[in-house]
Amino acid sequence: MLPRIGITMGDAAGIGPEIIVKVLTNRYIYQICQPIVIGSLPIIQDALHLVTAKNGRPDSHKNLPQVTSIQSPKHVTADWTSRVGTIDVLDVSSLKPDDVSYGKIDPLCGAAAVKAIETAVELTLDGMLDAITTAPICKAAIQKAGSPFPGHTEMLTSLTQSEKSVMMLRTWDTPQTFLPEFGIERKKTKKKTATSTDIKDSLTVSFVTNHIPVAEVSKQLSVERISDVIQLTHEALIRFGIERPRLVVAGLNPHAGEEGMFGREEEIYILPAVQQAQMSGIQVDGPLPADTLFKKAIRGEWDTVIAMYHDQGNIPIKLIGFGHIVNITLGLPIVRTSVDHGTAFDIAGKGIASETSLMAALAAAAQLASN
C-alpha cells in the first residue's frame, strides 16, 4: 500500500495552497503516495480556480480536478490510482477566501497554519498518516496567532516531544510529468548541462543551529549538540541508501579559526565532537573552512556538510539547487519533509509559483515513509 502523506496547507496568504493544487495535478505523485491535504477546503478550492484562471486554456474549467472533503485519512479508497484528478482535503479550519489578503501577515492565517500542523502530527503519531509534508508558513503570522515557535522544526520537536531534532536540506530530483487534461500550463525549465568543473548540482546540508540571530550562534554550540547532529545525519544518510556516509563539519569562524587567531569555537566545541564521532566509527572530517569545503562537497568529496548556522548552509545549497531542495527534519518519531522556500508573499495570488520543491518534498517523504 502506498504511504499516506498529509500535506499541511501552510499560510493561506502565501503560495502554499497554489503549489499544493499544482502538484496534485501531477500523475507521478499518485504513483508514489496517497496525498491528503490538511487545512481549509474553501481555500484549496479557491487556489485551484486561481491557478486555472491564471495558467489554463479557455476550456480548462470543463475538466478541473475535484476537491473533496474527507472526515479521516481512513475514509479514502485503497485503490489510489483512481484518485488521480481528486484532491482530498481534511477540513480542519474555518478560514475562507474572503478572510485572506494575499501577501499580508495575518494572525488568522497563522492560526489556520498551526491547526493544520497540529492535526497532521496527531494523525501521524496515531498511525493514520505515514508522513507529513508541509507547505511554507509565515513565522510572524504564527507568532501573532500566539504560537511561541520560530518555525516548523521547533514546533514539530515540541509537538512530538522529541529530545533533539536536526534540520537537513537535500537536493532531490523528481520527474516532470504533468497531467495535460487539466489544462494547467507550466513554463518549461532549461535542462542543466555538465561543465568542465564536474559540479554535480547536488548537495546535502545539516544544521547545528536553526532560526536564531547570528549573534547567538556561538552561545548555542556545544560538543553534545554537534555530536548529535553528526550522529543523526549519519543515520539519515544510511536510510537514503548510502552504506558508508562521508561527512564534513564546517568551522564557525573564518579559516576555521586559524589555530585560535579568529575564534576558539573550533577547538572548544567542533573538533572534540568530530573526534568523538570518528572514535565511534563515523567517517567525518573537520572542522574545515566553510568558504572552500562546499565546492568540494558539491563535487562529491563528501555526502553531507554539517553547517554551524542557517545562512552558512542555506546560501550554497540554494545557489545550486533552489526549487529542487527538500527540508527534512531528523530526530522526530515521524517523517516530515518540506519545501526549500518561504511563503513568497510578493508573488502570492498571481498563479506563477513553482511547485517543484513541493513535488521533491513529497517524493522524499514517500521514500522515507516506505523505508
Side-chain angles (χ1 to χ4, degrees):
M1 185 173 179
L2 294 175
R4 285 196 175 110
I5 300 179
I7 310 172
T8 61
M9 181 178 69
D11 194 297
I15 63 171
E18 175 187 338
I19 61 175
I20 287 172
V21 297
K22 282 183 176 179
V23 85
L24 294 183
T25 60
N26 190 313
R27 192 179 302 277
Y28 167 71
I29 293 302
Y30 294 84
Q31 295 171 351
I32 63 171
C33 71
Q34 302 178 16
I36 298 169
V37 182
I38 302 173
S40 163
L41 181 75
I43 294 295
I44 297 302
Q45 288 176 321
D46 188 65
L48 180 60
H49 287 286
L50 165 73
V51 168
T52 306
K54 296 288 186 181
N55 302 286
R57 298 191 303 264
D59 63 344
S60 57
H61 282 278
K62 296 179 182 179
N63 195 24
L64 283 177
Q66 297 298 306
V67 180
T68 63
S69 177
I70 62 171
Q71 300 302 312
S72 165
K74 292 184 177 180
H75 292 167
V76 297
T77 176
D79 180 17
W80 202 255
T81 56
S82 67
R83 306 304 291 175
V84 177
T86 301
I87 299 175
D88 288 303
V89 180
L90 186 64
D91 194 356
V92 299
S93 170
S94 60
L95 196 67
K96 303 288 192 298
D98 289 344
D99 301 327
V100 177
S101 296
Y102 287 119
K104 303 295 183 183
I105 298 173
D106 189 335
L108 288 177
C109 293
V114 171
K115 177 63 175 178
I117 297 165
E118 291 174 343
T119 303
V121 169
E122 181 180 352
L123 290 171
T124 310
L125 290 173
D126 287 345
M128 285 190 278
L129 292 173
D130 299 301
I132 299 171
T133 295
T134 57
I137 58 174
C138 172
K139 297 170 179 61
I142 67 169
Q143 293 198 334
K144 284 180 179 291
S147 173
F149 305 106
H152 271 118
T153 304
E154 295 82 2
M155 187 188 307
L156 291 163
T157 304
S158 176
L159 289 172
T160 58
Q161 299 182 9
S162 301
E163 294 182 2
K164 52 197 174 185
S165 63
V166 172
M167 181 175 76
M168 170 187 278
L169 297 182
R170 181 173 174 85
T171 52
W172 206 285
D173 291 328
T174 55
Q176 297 296 303
T177 54
F178 296 105
L179 280 176
E181 59 264 35
F182 295 126
I184 299 174
E185 299 174 357
R186 276 85 165 185
K187 293 180 180 179
K188 293 182 179 180
T189 56
K190 293 182 179 179
K191 201 169 185 179
K192 296 179 180 179
T193 57
T195 65
S196 59
T197 54
D198 196 28
I199 298 293
K200 294 195 307 177
D201 282 353
S202 63
L203 185 64
T204 302
V205 183
S206 292
F207 296 82
V208 174
T209 62
N210 297 324
H211 300 101
I212 61 173
V214 174
E216 298 294 319
V217 171
S218 180
K219 300 173 186 177
Q220 296 293 324
L221 298 186
S222 68
V223 176
E224 180 182 11
R225 171 59 183 171
I226 298 168
S227 296
D228 287 342
V229 175
I230 294 172
Q231 181 65 42
L232 288 172
T233 300
H234 175 78
E235 293 170 359
L237 293 173
I238 292 174
R239 291 184 68 187
F240 294 148
I242 303 172
E243 293 184 6
R244 285 279 296 164
R246 300 161 300 158
L247 284 66
V248 63
V249 181
L252 173 69
N253 297 296
H255 304 286
E258 195 74 69
E259 302 295 328
M261 289 178 60
F262 306 132
R264 300 189 58 219
E265 286 85 357
E266 285 76 12
E267 60 185 83
I268 296 174
Y269 306 117
I270 305 176
L271 181 58
V274 169
Q275 291 173 334
Q276 283 186 17
Q278 290 171 338
M279 291 177 63
S280 68
I282 296 176
Q283 189 174 336
V284 56
D285 297 322
L288 297 177
D291 61 350
T292 55
L293 70 83
F294 278 100
K295 185 176 182 180
K296 295 179 181 179
I298 293 169
R299 287 179 170 174
E301 191 164 325
W302 300 285
D303 298 303
T304 296
V305 175
I306 309 292
M308 290 298 111
Y309 59 94
H310 185 277
D311 283 11
Q312 186 185 57
N314 269 269
I315 291 172
I317 193 170
K318 289 186 178 182
L319 274 173
I320 68 160
F322 190 73
H324 300 275
I325 299 168
V326 180
N327 183 335
I328 305 168
T329 307
L330 311 180
L332 304 181
I334 62 175
V335 172
R336 179 262 174 166
T337 66
S338 189
V339 294
D340 66 355
H341 55 77
T343 52
F345 278 166
D346 57 324
I347 62 170
K350 297 181 180 179
I352 60 174
S354 170
E355 73 277 27
T356 55
S357 182
L358 181 60
M359 190 184 306
L362 281 167
Q367 178 178 328
L368 291 172
S370 298
N371 289 344

